Each structure stands twice: as C-alpha cells, then as structure tokens.
Amino acid sequence: MPDEQMAAAGSAPVPPGGAPSAPQAPPRALDPIDRSIMRLLQADGRASIRSVAEQVHVSRANAYARINRLIDDGVIRGFTARVNHERAGQGASAYITLKIVQNSWRTVREKLRELPGAAHIALVSGDFDVLFLVHTPDNRTLRELVLTRLQSIPEVLSTRTLLVFEETDLLDVGPIGGPAISEE
C-alpha cells in the first residue's frame, strides 16, 4: 500500500448483521493517539498516512501500525464517504420509530435494510423498539415508504415519523487540539 494513501486493504468484510462471525478478543483500551486517529479518519477517510501522522505527532510507521491494528481489532470497520443527502437529491429525511412484535428484531432488521433510503437502524429501549433513519427524494416518497412499505411489514405494530428539518454533522472535526477534538 502506498505510504501516502489510506485504503481499506486488509480489513475483513463485515457480514450483513454488522458483527463479525468469529469470536473476538475483549476490546483493547484505546489511548488518546488512537482516539485522535479515529476522529481524523471519521472526518476524512481518505487522509494520507503522512497527514494523520503529522496531526497526531507520531511517525508514519507508528501511524500505519496503529491504523492497521485498529482495523485488525475491528475498531475501524471500513472507510466510507459522508454524503450531503440534500445535495444528492434526497431532500427529505426522517427518524421513524417502530413498535414491533416481540422477538422479531432480526426479521424486521433484514426487511428494513432492503428499503430504499435506509440509513441507520437501531434496536433501542423505551416507548418504542426500533429507531430507523431514512433519506428520500421528497415527502411524497417518504409518505409512500411509511404508509405502504413499513406498515405492510407484518411484525411492525406501529410507526411514528419525525421529520428532520436540519442536521449538524458532529464528525466535522478541526485540527488536533482544536475545540472539536477531545482527549477524553
């Protein structure tokens, strides 16, 4: 792998359920440098090894080894692009809460994954069971998704839609040591 380019080479693919199939060792404690590297890569997954090393004040070899260890340990699951959904033609976003039939989480999760615009699915505690984030081109498409697709899933007992009016991406970080980076 060239010294100047970050790549996901060597990272194991994550199965559809989101968790690796092989048993894993207990999580290793991350030090402040590891956490800074993670924040930098979350902000820019295309950052070069040299840039990461300079910003966290370690050698390129040390940065390279740390990144590979974070990948091998499953801390970093891959690299991706952060998308401005409005600019990408997905101007309507919503969090949808779902109440589901008890013990149907895995079935519901797989059905939700297949829906167009699905961005995030979480099993949660509280007044509802699932929190589902979607991005659609417009409110008409969102309405169709909720009323036709979601509510036709037999395991879904009820839904509530929360429209997103504005978002702030907390992954936009400043330089190391700036206010957006914390060593905690």
Side-chain angles (χ1 to χ4, degrees):
M1 173 162 60
D3 183 51
E4 294 307 310
Q5 288 299 315
M6 186 59 55
S11 63
V14 176
S21 54
Q24 294 205 343
R28 183 186 324 210
L30 302 179
D31 66 18
I33 293 172
D34 289 333
R35 289 192 297 274
S36 292
I37 288 171
M38 288 185 332
R39 281 191 221 84
L40 286 168
L41 293 176
Q42 283 179 303
D44 181 6
R46 293 175 46 164
S48 69
I49 296 282
R50 175 178 291 173
S51 171
V52 170
E54 287 172 358
Q55 291 184 64
V56 299
H57 310 291
V58 298
S59 70
R60 283 185 285 179
N62 189 337
Y64 184 82
R66 283 174 177 267
I67 292 167
N68 280 335
R69 189 191 77 236
L70 290 168
I71 291 168
D72 292 343
D73 287 352
V75 175
I76 294 176
R77 297 183 300 166
F79 299 87
T80 186
R82 291 191 344 258
V83 175
N84 178 325
H85 295 284
E86 195 169 338
R87 303 262 315 157
Q90 297 175 314
S93 296
Y95 286 96
I96 304 167
T97 65
L98 295 89
K99 288 187 181 182
I100 62 173
V101 172
Q102 190 172 3
N103 297 322
S104 65
W105 161 242
R106 288 176 183 83
T107 301
V108 171
R109 179 184 58 201
E110 294 313 310
K111 290 179 181 178
L112 295 177
R113 290 178 97 117
E114 297 170 4
L115 294 176
H120 185 83
I121 306 165
L123 179 65
V124 297
S125 64
D127 293 335
F128 49 88
D129 304 306
V130 177
L131 185 61
F132 182 45
L133 173 62
V134 296
H135 302 289
T136 62
D138 52 42
N139 284 340
R140 181 179 303 265
T141 308
L142 176 60
R143 178 183 178 277
E144 185 69 20
L145 178 80
V146 173
L147 295 180
T148 304
R149 305 283 298 270
L150 272 180
Q151 293 182 358
S152 70
I153 298 172
E155 297 85 0
V156 173
L157 301 173
S158 67
T159 65
R160 176 171 283 164
T161 303
L162 305 152
L163 295 177
V164 174
F165 296 126
E166 184 176 316
E167 294 181 89
T168 300
D169 190 349
L170 300 179
L171 294 178
D172 290 333
V173 297
I176 294 297
I181 301 286
S182 164
E183 291 300 324
E184 296 173 1

